[in-house]
Amino acid sequence: MSRTAVMEGSFAVAEAVKACRPEVIAAYPISPQTHIIEELSKYVADNELSSKYVRADSEFSAASIVYGSSGTGARSYTASSSQGLLLMTEVLYAMAGTRLPVVLTGVNRTVSAPITIQPDHQDTMALRDTGVIQIYVENIQEAYATHIQAFKLAEDHDILLPVMVCMDGWILTHTFEPVKIEEQELVDKFLPPFVPKYRLDPKNPLTYGSYGDDEVPEFRYMMHFAMEKAKTKIQLIAEEYKEIFGDYFGGLTEAYKCEDAEIILVAMGSVIGTIKETIDQLRSEGKKVGVLKVRTYRPFPAEEIFEIVKNAKIVAVIDKSISVGQGGQLATDIKAALINKKTPPLVYSCIAGMGGREVNINTVKYIINKSENSLITNQVPDIDYIEIKRQYLE
Amino acid sequence: MVTTEKLNLLAPGHRACPGCGAAIALRQILRVVGRETIVVSATGCVETFTSPYGQSAWEVPWMHSLFENSAAVASGVEAALEAKGEKANVVIISGDGGTFDIGMGAMSGMFERKHNITYICYDNEAYMNTGVQRSSATPYAATTTTSPAGKNSYGKMEFKKDVPAIALAHDVEYVATTSIAYPQDLMNKVKKAIGIKGPKYIQIHTPCCIGWGFDSSQTIAMGKLAAETGLVPLFEVEKGKQMVVRKIKNTKPIQEYLNKQNRFRHLAKEDKEKIMEKLQEICNDNVKRFGISE
Ligand SMILES: Cc1ncc(C[n+]2csc(CCOP(=O)(O)OP(=O)(O)O)c2C)c(N)n1
Ligand SMILES: [Mg+2]
């Protein structure tokens, strides 16, 4: 029987990881990822989990350790945040390029400077080009389910890429919600032991990490191709999860009240909950508004997004990060998804929630209000910094 | 020994330079570790010349990832084997740059966590793969492309980092230095290391004809001289036992070693007597400290 308990987000993630029976875990502590890896060490100490748990000397080493263990055919897991994720960057490129199916939690926190432990998406956004699949979750239950699905996706022989489950630090890791914890037997059925396609094994000596003189374009292309295949796979896996556990958590995107919407907000992560709440309020006032949650950021579901927003008049994109000198990353990708299409909606790029600045119902209403004004004037600001303290800019 | 003598797990046709000391080290290492081995290497000459895609020279499973993480990758390999209840020798073969400098943190972590891994550093005393830049293994006063001699410089102005001592400070199970010029010594030490459980560190002196500037027929001779002058002491320390040092009957003056290499040529040219003396002092100190003289 499954059980439902009120628990902290981090513990729900740890429960999910435990249920997946990773053979090797390697990690290094950083807020707000800490509770996940602490809980996992406790399971190991209490013999509730038989993983080899390697307490790494850095995130760089943690990522390298799971690189080695995954290459040796072991189901492998790590987690980090912020500076730690950045320290892993070089390894993550190599991991994806070597096609190692590691699962990691990217507990979102901004990056220095200035240093703070507040959440935004700046850290995982910096990793979007690594070849690591990125799935952003909205709530704790989804974080739980997505971790279980992530192993199945990563280890699929058509995919073989690392998968990062991105969840907002503090907002999701340190809050409590009722979570349905699935029965171990069913998780085992959904996720059988990892069968590596290749591995380091003296019985069949293979070379990993070759010098590639003339193979780079092909290897990159194959990674991209695997990402394309992942678009279908993610949906199939979500459906299979629903069949076994009864709950569906969405594939690449989730459209909420978008069918007839004139204004569609687009965002990722925990802010979706706040936006849904606002949409419900505004709908009761007769406003035609909806929200599109981008769940899978890499691979980027451009076609699916276009299909959802094509009849809207304006799309307001909320980025909790910025590519300095360019703008919001998600907004840029949304614009790219709409280009070359006939009569695409306007795109209004909003930077909000950086460094943990609150995005509440009023913030969302403000964005919708500005979207309405844009429709009247037919003018969209290139980029809008929401609730910025103007006095700093003078 | 007769059967293992024939074992060659490094296929011919790799891309090492003629006279490459590191390639000689590889053959000697693989001869003793045998097939039940997984090797992890850092970026560097060995990685480059052994692993071109589709033309790997490795006949044991081999993994390269990055320059600075071979000790961590190997930690993961070992953890996976342990998790699966499988057995294989896990051996790292990385360069001095990947060991002394950029990979030091990962190696320290691996030692401290007590992984059952043999870390072998092939020490050619510079970053050879990228064009002979200085590393912290480069000997005092040697020129490299980033420590050239000039008006204001006599080459590398700092002493070689003592990594065996650092390994010992981690209380590892076994620490040894050896040289390709002494193949039996090298193979005995590698063999001993893989037979001991826990972290082990072996540093192999591997002369590099291109980087040091000597004729490719002289690689072994250069290794011999390095030991015979006392500049490179060969010893082993097994945990709980006394250090064993390879004795030298009549140590040779450092001049003999320096004269044969372009990287020290500037010392002869100009009035660098003090520097020469300093190098001789390093050798004398080694002879005393390690009791090298017979
Ligand atoms: C992070 C990083 N920095 C720099 C390099 C460039 N690089 C590749 S190999 C190398 C030097 C390797 O030196 P060493 O470990 O002594 O091995 P050798 O080439 O001498 O065999 C350098 C600097 C790199 N690959 N990665
Ligand atoms: Mg070197």
Side-chain angles (χ1 to χ4, degrees), chain A residues 90, chain B residues 22 42-48 66-68 94-99 102 122 124-130 133 135:
Chain A
E90 193 193 5
Chain B
T43 310
C45 284
V46 160
E47 163 267 324
T48 311
L66 300 167
F67 186 21
E68 65 275 44
S94 296
D96 50 290
T99 304
I102 202 164
Y122 67 94
N124 53 22
E125 304 190 319
Y127 302 156
M128 296 312 180
N129 194 45
T130 37
Q133 294 87 14
S135 82

Side-chain angles (χ1 to χ4, degrees), chain A residues 302-303 306-307 310 335-345:
Chain A
E303 272 308 312
F306 173 71
E307 286 304 317
K310 66 181 177 191
K335 286 175 189 168
L338 301 183
I339 200 132
N340 295 337
K341 306 285 186 193
K342 272 185 207 149
T343 61

